[in-house]
Amino acid sequence: MNVLSQFTDDGHWPGLKRWLDLPGVYPAGRLDRDSEGLLLLTNDGALQARITDPAHKWPKTYLVQVEGTPTDEQLQKLEQGVTLKDGPTLPAQITRIDPPDLWLRDPPVRVRKTVPDAWLRIILREGRNRQVRRMTAHVDLPTLRLVRIAIGPVGLDDLAPGEWRDIDPKIATV
C-alpha cells in the first residue's frame, strides 16, 4: 500500500524499484496506491498482454470492505453492472463474506462506531481505473479496504505483504 504498481516513482509516491531490482520486468495489471494484494510481474510481453487485455477477460478477485450494510438491491445492481462516467461495467460476481483474516493495514481503516461496515468478494472480468471503488460508491457503499486476492488462476494464497514467488508461465494458456 502507498506504493505505485510501476517501477518508477512519480514524485509523490514510491515505485516498485525501491523494493525490487528486476530490470526488464513489468506489472501485468495495476493496483492503485490505496489498494493491497496480488500484483503479477512478468518479463513476457505476450503474457502481460493476455493478462491485461479485456478481450481475454481474466477474472480478478477482490476482498472489499465497504461502509454500510449492503442491501440485496445494491448487490444486484453491482452484479448486473452499473453505468459509470466511462460507460457501463460488465456484470460482476458479488458475494457477502465474513471479515477475512488479513494482515494489519497501515494505516488502519478508520473505525466509526456508528457506521457499520461489511465485506464482499467481488469478481470482475475487466479492469478499469479504480473500478471497484467507483462501482461500490455508485451504489452508496464506499470502499474502505480493497485487497486483490487472485488474477485468473493465480491466487495470493499465503503470501504476506512484500513476499513473492515464481509461477508457472503456462498460466498464459488459461
Side-chain angles (χ1 to χ4, degrees):
M1 196 168 112
N2 285 328
V3 176
L4 300 176
S5 56
Q6 61 190 36
F7 278 88
T8 55
D9 295 354
D10 76 349
H12 300 289
W13 302 102
L16 295 170
K17 189 172 185 174
R18 292 192 188 189
W19 290 271
L20 300 170
D21 185 20
L22 298 171
V25 172
Y26 303 94
R30 294 194 165 201
L31 286 172
D32 62 54
R33 69 169 183 83
D34 298 321
S35 299
E36 308 164 71
L38 182 65
L39 181 64
L40 297 182
L41 303 173
T42 182
N43 63 353
D44 181 334
L47 176 59
Q48 182 186 31
R50 182 174 297 267
I51 291 169
T52 59
D53 187 335
H56 295 289
K57 295 185 174 53
W58 274 43
K60 287 109 181 141
T61 305
Y62 301 87
L63 301 181
V64 185
Q65 182 183 21
V66 295
E67 183 176 277
T69 303
T71 65
D72 291 341
E73 181 183 355
Q74 288 168 311
L75 297 179
Q76 185 177 28
K77 285 180 182 179
L78 292 171
E79 286 176 338
Q80 292 172 347
V82 296
T83 301
L84 303 174
K85 288 182 181 178
D86 56 351
T89 65
L90 293 175
Q93 291 175 259
I94 312 291
T95 308
R96 293 177 215 235
I97 60 171
D98 291 330
D101 183 23
L102 295 170
W103 53 88
L104 294 177
R105 184 176 184 273
D106 182 25
V109 171
R110 185 173 67 135
V111 176
R112 294 172 43 192
K113 294 179 183 177
T114 59
V115 180
D117 63 63
W119 282 88
L120 305 172
R121 177 184 312 266
I122 299 179
I123 301 174
L124 302 178
R125 294 194 173 268
E126 57 185 335
R128 299 183 198 181
N129 185 39
R130 300 180 68 86
Q131 182 174 346
V132 171
R133 293 176 188 282
R134 294 189 300 138
M135 288 175 67
T136 61
H138 185 81
V139 298
D140 298 320
L141 295 169
T143 294
L144 300 173
R145 188 171 183 189
L146 179 65
V147 181
R148 184 165 55 201
I149 60 166
I151 299 174
V154 181
L156 191 57
D157 302 326
D158 60 352
L159 285 178
E163 292 184 342
W164 63 279
R165 70 172 181 270
D166 289 328
I167 57 173
D168 188 336
K170 293 179 185 168
I171 65 165
T173 60
V174 171

